Amino acid sequence: MVGSTGISKIKTAIFISGNGSNMKNLIKFSKLKTSPIYVDLVLSSNKKANGIRYLKKTKIVSKIFNFKKKNNHEEKILKILKKRKINLICLAGFMKILSKDFIKKFNGRILNIHPSLLPKYKGLNTHERAILNNEKFSGCSVHFVNSKLDSGKIILQKKVRINKNDNPKTLSKKILKQEHKLYPKALKKLLTRN
Ligand code: GAR
C-alpha cells in the first residue's frame, strides 16, 4: 500500500490473544503519514479477545485460530499470510508459541513486545517476579522473534521505575502506557531511514 507520503508501507499482520491495546495503538499509528506500516490483517488465538470486538468497527480483516487443537493451523496461517502478501508480523500480547518452522519461514520479520527489560524476566508473570525480586526498575522491550522464547535481538527498550507501593496491576498499567510509545518508535527505528 502506498501511504499519503508516496512512500510504500509495509503490509503487516498483528497477532493478538487478549485485550489488544497494543494492537489498537499500532492500528492508530499505521494511519499516520509517517508510519512505515500498513495493518492488513489481525490474527487472534482467542475468539473472545477484546481486540476482535474492536476490529468489527474497522475494515481490517481478522482471523481466529484455535491454537489448542493439534491441527495444521500454522500451515493455514502461512497460506493466508502468503495470499495477503504480508511482509511483517507484529506480535502484540500474543500468548502462544510459534513453531521453529514458522519462525524460520518469516525469519527476521516477526517482532514482539514484552513487558520487561529483557533478558530479564522472559515468559509469564513478569511484573510479579520483578516486584518479588525488589527490582527498582522494570520496563518493556521490542525485539525480533527467534526460536528461543523472548530471546531475539532487542530493537528498543524503555525503563520504568517500580515504586514501593506498586503491585503487579499498577506496574502493568504503567508499563503498558510505555509499550504504546515504544512499539511505534521501534518500528520507525527499524523501518525508516530518518
Ligand atoms: C502487554 O503488556 C504485552 O507486552 C504482553 O501482554 C500485554 C498485552 O496487552 N505480552 C506478553 O507478555 C508476551 N509474552 P494488550 O493485549 O493490551 O496489548
Side-chain angles (χ1 to χ4, degrees):
M1 188 221 180
V2 178
S4 41
T5 48
I7 295 162
S8 67
K9 295 193 176 195
I10 293 165
K11 243 186 168 190
T12 301
I14 302 176
F15 286 16
I16 63 166
S17 296
N19 206 28
S21 72
N22 275 293
M23 173 207 78
K24 279 186 226 169
N25 184 62
L26 286 181
I27 291 173
K28 211 169 123 196
F29 166 69
S30 74
K31 290 179 180 155
L32 299 176
K33 274 186 192 172
T34 51
S35 163
I37 64 158
Y38 162 70
V39 180
D40 179 72
L41 173 73
V42 173
L43 187 144
S44 174
S45 65
N46 169 10
K47 66 174 182 217
K48 288 185 184 142
N50 269 340
I52 289 296
R53 234 174 290 153
Y54 168 83
L55 286 173
K56 295 206 170 108
K57 291 185 250 161
T58 74
K59 284 180 184 157
I60 297 169
V61 173
S62 60
K63 303 269 180 202
I64 293 149
F65 282 91
N66 182 354
F67 277 73
K68 267 183 205 150
K69 279 187 197 159
K70 281 257 171 265
N71 60 11
N72 57 348
H73 57 264
E74 281 195 350
E75 268 171 45
K76 289 182 192 161
I77 293 169
L78 282 165
K79 262 190 196 157
I80 295 171
L81 297 175
K82 198 171 170 191
K83 192 175 157 203
R84 300 194 71 87
K85 299 191 169 68
I86 299 293
N87 262 315
L88 179 74
I89 298 173
C90 290
L91 307 185
F94 183 68
M95 305 312 264
K96 301 288 173 186
I97 309 266
L98 296 166
S99 75
K100 282 185 184 161
D101 255 15
F102 186 98
I103 294 168
K104 214 169 156 190
K105 283 188 179 126
F106 255 80
N107 196 15
R109 293 182 296 147
I110 311 178
L111 310 181
N112 182 39
I113 186 148
H114 185 76
S116 79
L117 291 175
L118 291 172
K120 281 190 164 180
Y121 307 110
K122 297 173 183 174
L124 298 175
N125 306 319
T126 54
H127 310 308
E128 286 88 336
R129 287 187 285 143
I131 290 171
L132 276 174
N133 278 348
N134 290 316
E135 297 280 6
K136 293 212 166 39
F137 293 96
S138 187
C140 44
S141 313
V142 175
H143 65 95
F144 286 103
V145 171
N146 66 11
S147 57
K148 284 191 191 150
L149 182 70
D150 300 328
S151 297
K153 190 172 177 249
I154 292 163
I155 300 160
L156 268 186
Q157 292 186 306
K158 175 75 185 174
K159 247 185 183 180
V160 173
R161 181 178 283 282
I162 304 178
N163 296 325
K164 281 212 175 100
N165 53 357
D166 265 326
N167 56 47
K169 209 173 160 189
T170 58
L171 183 59
S172 132
K173 210 172 155 189
K174 276 201 288 192
I175 291 179
L176 199 57
K177 206 171 158 193
Q178 294 307 320
E179 291 183 35
H180 296 164
K181 293 183 187 160
L182 195 72
Y183 219 155
K185 214 170 154 188
L187 285 164
K188 274 191 169 177
K189 182 184 171 197
L190 194 69
L191 303 168
T192 57
R193 272 187 213 143
N194 39 10

